[in-house]
Amino acid sequence: MIYVVSSMAQDLRDRTAELYLSQPLTRIEYAFSWLITSVVTPSLVYLSAVALPVAILDPHLLLSFGFEELGYLVVEGLFAGSLAFITAVLTRSRGLTFFIGLFWLLVLPFVLMMGVAVLSFSSMGSHQSPAAKTLLSVFAVLYPYKFYLMSASSLPASITPFQAVVISFSISVLFLAASLQYVRYRLEV
């Protein structure tokens, strides 16, 4: 997903987008096609890759299968994709888009959890520090699937997994709407 979005940034930087936009295609249609290709399609492919084998093996199992986890994972991927998409549109830099995407997916979750661990265990009392709760809530919004997997742990947060996924989805939609508005009114190719 991050690689495909970074390809859009390269098209914008190298002015390859001018070739596409010389056809009867608007800027918003061009960006929307990239959005569908780079963010929505990988999410749907992942969803079908999990659901189809279950449906083929035992269709009754599909009815008893909880799609809650899968929804959290799709929203987390949508958040990362929307962040990469708005970065690509604003910066037109393939390297920066790729770096931010990889940093977001691979480095930041560990940094946040290390911060939660340090803050949680530095307060030797029975109560978790407010800073640790706040950092854990930020982690929950940024990474709802990982937070859902950890929600059975002993780290209390001030947010539930469902609230985290709703906030994360809302922010993703805002990122995508803002990037499409930017493309519509401000993007020059």
Side-chain angles (χ1 to χ4, degrees):
M1 182 182 314
I2 303 300
Y3 179 77
V4 176
V5 174
S6 65
S7 296
M8 177 189 168
Q10 183 177 2
D11 274 0
L12 292 172
R13 187 196 61 202
D14 294 344
R15 301 217 178 259
T16 311
E18 288 178 2
L19 177 65
Y20 299 118
L21 294 174
S22 67
Q23 305 299 317
L25 183 69
T26 64
R27 292 178 292 189
I28 195 81
E29 291 170 338
Y30 173 75
F32 193 71
S33 66
W34 271 105
L35 176 67
I36 295 294
T37 303
S38 61
V39 177
V40 176
T41 302
S43 298
L44 292 176
V45 167
Y46 183 76
L47 181 67
S48 65
V50 172
L52 285 178
V54 172
I56 290 171
L57 292 175
D58 187 9
H60 298 311
L61 185 62
L62 188 61
L63 296 175
S64 66
F65 185 72
F67 285 99
E68 185 178 9
E69 267 184 53
L70 198 55
Y72 289 137
L73 187 59
V74 168
V75 169
E76 187 173 311
L78 180 66
F79 192 92
S82 64
L83 178 69
F85 190 77
I86 198 167
T87 303
V89 168
L90 293 176
T91 66
R92 299 181 186 190
S93 170
R94 181 179 187 163
L96 184 61
T97 302
F98 199 70
F99 173 76
I100 287 176
L102 287 181
F103 181 81
W104 187 266
L105 291 174
L106 301 176
V107 177
L108 191 59
F110 294 109
V111 170
L112 287 174
M113 287 314 300
M114 292 299 286
V116 168
V118 167
L119 290 173
S120 294
F121 296 112
S122 66
S123 60
M124 291 298 187
S126 61
H127 300 293
Q128 188 180 24
S129 71
K133 280 187 178 182
T134 303
L135 195 57
L136 190 59
S137 296
V138 168
F139 179 82
V141 170
L142 300 180
Y143 303 100
Y145 178 67
K146 292 173 183 68
F147 178 71
Y148 173 76
L149 292 177
M150 294 176 11
S151 62
S153 70
S154 62
L155 294 175
S158 55
I159 191 169
T160 66
F162 182 74
Q163 291 170 330
V165 81
V166 168
I167 294 169
S168 182
F169 183 75
S170 301
I171 293 171
S172 300
V173 169
L174 286 174
F175 278 170
L176 295 174
S179 60
L180 289 176
Q181 282 297 100
Y182 179 82
V183 165
R184 184 175 187 186
Y185 295 111
R186 296 270 177 132
L187 182 69
E188 295 181 18
V189 289

